[in-house]
Amino acid sequence: MKLRAIIVEDEENSRLILRNYLSKYCPNISILGEAAYVDEALILIRNNELDVVFLDVEMPYGNAFDLLDKVGDINFETIFVTAYNNYAIEALNAHASYYLMKPISIDELIKAVDYVTEIRMKEDALQDQVLVPRTNSVNGKITIPQQDGFEVIETSNIMYCKADDNYTEIYLNNNKKKVVSKTLKYIEESLKDANFARVHKSYLVNVNEIVKYVKGKGGSVILSNGKEIMVSASKKSDLLSYFN
């Protein structure tokens, strides 16, 4: 995994050493820029999407914590690189990912980069899996995240949803299936204003797609695509209320 990074260090020789070490021993680090002062670093941070900032503590006209305060909403990891060990607690309070002491140990640098890489990989994996459905009562849509963004689905195109442990399978009327990492209860809540009925602990159906109800203790429903789904006895009255 490539990590986009900048180096914030006021000493030119220190920047050179760190840049060379990263180039030689941490090939997954892509250096997008370097800064010697807080204001220069702030411009780089605001103009680039970063994964990690290598940050010296003491700089002219401000320090690392001044910079982080100015950034505000921090969406990157921070590796402190400093000759001073008395900033460790303050760095921890600033949510530093790693604290490297100068002179830089190559082994420690590699360990720091590996640690940050693991963090970013977990965050990416979580982002790819998480569904944040948003039902809009005006246009009737929910969003399903994709690797490169998210997909918008018309709720009217959903035939039914099926629970699969902590995942939900969403079946569309074009015979396609989407799998999302949210419980069926979560999806049900997202679709509560879109005429979807929970007919079984494992099924949520689009009431508009029901073409037939078959009598029984709970009975069953047949959808427009021919799919038959059993109805729990406890859910029967809720379902039939849509047709009264």
Side-chain angles (χ1 to χ4, degrees), residues 151-154 156-160 170-178 209 224-225:
E151 180 178 358
V152 179
I153 296 179
E154 297 277 353
S156 60
N157 291 336
I158 299 174
M159 297 286 293
Y160 66 96
I170 299 177
Y171 291 83
L172 306 177
N173 54 18
N174 60 2
N175 294 321
K176 290 185 177 180
K177 179 179 76 172
K178 308 288 182 181
E209 295 294 337
S224 60
N225 65 351

Side-chain angles (χ1 to χ4, degrees), residues 56-169:
D56 187 16
V57 175
E58 295 195 347
M59 293 173 283
Y61 316 115
N63 62 27
F65 306 106
D66 296 327
L67 172 61
L68 295 176
D69 285 342
K70 289 183 177 181
V71 171
D73 187 14
I74 298 173
N75 56 9
F76 51 81
E77 307 303 319
T78 306
I79 297 177
F80 279 79
V81 186
T82 179
Y84 305 93
N85 59 14
N86 54 310
Y87 291 108
I89 294 177
E90 198 170 354
L92 183 63
N93 291 336
H95 306 290
S97 300
Y98 217 92
Y99 196 89
L100 287 174
M101 292 294 298
K102 296 177 183 177
I104 298 172
S105 160
I106 294 172
D107 288 341
E108 281 299 306
L109 177 62
I110 293 171
K111 190 184 297 184
V113 170
D114 286 347
Y115 181 70
V116 167
T117 302
E118 184 178 353
I119 291 174
R120 300 305 278 189
M121 287 178 68
K122 286 180 179 178
E123 289 176 351
D124 279 1
L126 183 62
Q127 183 173 310
D128 289 342
Q129 292 175 0
V130 169
L131 169 69
V132 187
R134 302 185 185 278
T135 303
N136 187 310
S137 59
V138 176
N139 55 26
K141 297 176 181 179
I142 62 171
T143 59
I144 297 179
Q146 304 291 313
Q147 214 167 16
D148 57 349
F150 61 86
E151 180 178 358
V152 179
I153 296 179
E154 297 277 353
T155 57
S156 60
N157 291 336
I158 299 174
M159 297 286 293
Y160 66 96
C161 304
K162 180 183 177 183
D164 183 12
D165 290 330
N166 290 324
Y167 290 82
T168 298
E169 299 173 352

Side-chain angles (χ1 to χ4, degrees), residues 10-78:
D10 65 303
E11 296 178 2
E12 185 177 354
N13 189 54
S14 295
R15 291 199 304 272
L16 177 62
I17 291 172
L18 180 54
R19 187 194 321 132
N20 289 341
Y21 279 178
L22 289 170
S23 176
K24 186 172 182 179
Y25 300 106
C26 306
N28 67 318
I29 295 290
S30 176
I31 302 297
L32 302 185
E34 299 177 9
Y37 307 106
V38 168
D39 290 344
E40 290 177 343
L42 192 60
I43 292 171
L44 281 175
I45 289 170
R46 287 176 174 170
N47 290 340
N48 291 280
E49 188 174 343
L50 300 173
D51 295 299
V52 59
V53 172
F54 293 89
L55 184 57
D56 187 16
V57 175
E58 295 195 347
M59 293 173 283
Y61 316 115
N63 62 27
F65 306 106
D66 296 327
L67 172 61
L68 295 176
D69 285 342
K70 289 183 177 181
V71 171
D73 187 14
I74 298 173
N75 56 9
F76 51 81
E77 307 303 319
T78 306

